[in-house]
Structure formats: C-alpha cells, structure tokens
Amino acid sequence: MTPPVVLTIAGSDSGGGAGIQADLKTFAALGAFGASVITAITAQNTLGVTAIHPVPAEIVAAQLDAVLSDLPVAAVKIGMISDPDVAKVIAERADELPNLVIDPVLVATAGSRLGEVGTVGVLSSYPCVLTPNRHEAGALLGRPVETTEEMVSAAAELAARGPRAVVVTGSELALDVLCVGGETTLLPGEPVPTVNNHGSGCTFSSAIAVRLAAGDSVPVAVEAAKRYVRRGLAGGSTWQLGAGPGPLDHFGWSV
C-alpha cells in the first residue's frame, strides 16, 4: 500500500531533536512518506542554538516547486519561518498545500529567536491547524497566556483570525485547548516527569499532519497526536543524550 505523502517546511536542527529531523522521524514512525523543504540551517544541540543561516527564498521556492510538481502531498506541516520573503513564497502556494498545520516556532527553549510574529501571522490567516504553545500564543496576541482561562481565550481569539482550528498547548502542564468550529474543548493529559522534551512541539504538529493526511477529523487527529507525544516523552524519559533537554523517542511507540 502506498503511504500518504506529508511535507514539512521547516528549519534543520543539527542536534536531530527538533525541526526537519523530528518531523521526518514522526512521519516515518506513523506510516507516512516524508518530503521536506528546508527554510533555515541551524547550529544547535540540546543546550541551545548557536547560529542560524536562512535559506534564500528562491531556493525555498525551488524546493517547494520540486516537491509539489511530482509528489501527491496529502498534508503539510510548517515550522520555522524567519524570513518574510519565505513566508510570501509559501503564501503564494497556499492553495496547493492541503491539510495545512502550522507550528509557530518563535523562540527556542534556550531563548534564541527563531521566527517573527509578523511572519507567522501572514501564514496563520490561511485555513490551517495552528499549534502554538501558550508562550507562542501570548507572543501572537501581545499579552501573557499562562492560565487555563487565558489559554481558552487565546485559542478562541486566534481561531477568529482565520485558521481552521487552533490548539494552544500547555507544554509541561499536559493540558491543551482546542478551538474548532467555534467550540472550545479542554484536552487534559498526564504529565511525563522528564526533562527530555526537545522537539515536542514539532513532533505534535507533525503527528497532526499525518493523521489529517490519513483522513482523520481535526479533533481525532489532535487527540492521536497528543497520545503519540506523551508516549514519545515517556519512551525517551531516561535517555542521556547531550547535556541539556534531550529528544523524544519517536520510534518506540505508535498511536
């Protein structure tokens, strides 16, 4: 049986825990064929990001053209977009990007800025599933988003801007908020006691894209992705890879 093709448009993580690397691992683990468009090359490891080299917009466009002209893409995940010109390239092809999932990567865990709010805003106005964590939601709205009530309000307000759905994730709280079709739902979970959470946001959005490519509704896809991330966190919880927060176990579990 031919697997569905899922495309990731994101930055490369030299440490292998997040970005393009995490996306492709997630696609493979969940039975999809992964294609990629690299938007930036980062020098990073478990301790943080030390350098970022944006890929020129014309090269991003060439990658995107190459994939879309040949492969039957069923879903697209967008991650790190730091260049407005790259955002424009993607926006111009938005109608060709089915089941779009946008992870608004703005700031790395260690504090390095990876994207700009305005650039994310250009893309998030298209029909998509937007998956900010509560800090990214706060950056997009220009106010703190910390409590459950603030997460609920943020999800509804961001959804009103045009996305197909919004999931504000609670990170270590394991409580996420989904707003779809004008309805807001709390998605509680069981926290995993681990510091190895590098790439969890990338993994979550990528898992949603795989499930949408398989035909799931947004709520079903989000719940499945939430289970996958939790199992990945649990599987990698005792790993000792690097001196900082390590990656998830992408292949030890399935949805």
Side-chain angles (χ1 to χ4, degrees), residues 59-111:
I59 300 301
V60 173
Q63 293 177 80
L64 191 56
D65 288 343
V67 172
L68 295 178
S69 67
D70 184 51
L71 298 175
V73 174
V76 180
K77 175 264 173 80
I78 295 178
M80 177 184 174
I81 305 293
S82 58
D83 185 345
D85 289 337
V86 169
K88 182 179 179 181
V89 165
I90 298 170
E92 289 173 348
R93 305 295 296 271
D95 291 342
E96 301 174 60
L97 305 179
N99 290 314
L100 186 60
V101 180
I102 299 178
D103 178 20
V105 179
L106 297 174
V107 180
T109 302

Side-chain angles (χ1 to χ4, degrees), residues 15 24 45 53 56 65-66 82 84 93 96 130 133 139 171 211 219 238:
L24 293 176
N45 52 29
H53 178 69
D65 288 343
S82 58
R93 305 295 296 271
E96 301 174 60
L130 185 67
N133 62 38
S171 303
R211 296 314 313 164
T238 60

Side-chain angles (χ1 to χ4, degrees), residues 7-233:
L7 170 63
T8 170
I9 305 173
S12 172
D13 172 5
S14 55
I20 288 282
Q21 288 81 355
D23 298 342
L24 293 176
K25 291 173 187 177
T26 301
F27 297 164
L30 298 180
F33 179 84
S36 63
V37 170
I38 298 177
T39 61
I41 300 170
T42 71
Q44 65 175 294
N45 52 29
T46 63
L47 294 174
V49 181
T50 58
I52 300 173
H53 178 69
V55 173
E58 61 268 24
I59 300 301
V60 173
Q63 293 177 80
L64 191 56
D65 288 343
V67 172
L68 295 178
S69 67
D70 184 51
L71 298 175
V73 174
V76 180
K77 175 264 173 80
I78 295 178
M80 177 184 174
I81 305 293
S82 58
D83 185 345
D85 289 337
V86 169
K88 182 179 179 181
V89 165
I90 298 170
E92 289 173 348
R93 305 295 296 271
D95 291 342
E96 301 174 60
L97 305 179
N99 290 314
L100 186 60
V101 180
I102 299 178
D103 178 20
V105 179
L106 297 174
V107 180
T109 302
S112 299
R113 178 161 290 279
L114 299 177
E116 298 295 333
V117 169
T119 300
V120 172
V122 168
L123 296 171
S124 62
S125 63
Y126 288 87
C128 66
V129 178
L130 185 67
T131 66
N133 62 38
R134 63 184 191 278
H135 304 301
E136 291 163 339
L140 291 171
L141 294 171
R143 65 171 187 267
V145 176
E146 297 291 346
T147 67
T148 299
E149 292 75 15
E150 289 169 343
M151 290 170 65
V152 169
S153 176
E157 187 170 337
L158 289 171
R161 296 183 177 184
R164 174 183 180 187
V166 174
V167 188
V168 177
T169 63
S171 303
E172 70 278 1
L173 301 178
L175 172 67
D176 304 325
V177 177
L178 169 64
C179 185
V180 59
E183 295 186 7
T184 302
T185 305
L186 297 183
L187 305 175
E190 183 179 350
V192 177
T194 180
V195 298
N196 294 333
N197 58 7
H198 182 55
S200 56
C202 303
T203 299
F204 179 66
S205 56
S206 293
I208 292 174
V210 172
R211 296 314 313 164
L212 293 176
D216 285 350
S217 65
V218 170
V220 171
V222 169
E223 288 278 15
K226 188 175 175 70
R227 291 195 302 271
Y228 175 68
V229 170
R230 187 190 185 283
R231 292 167 180 171
L233 288 168

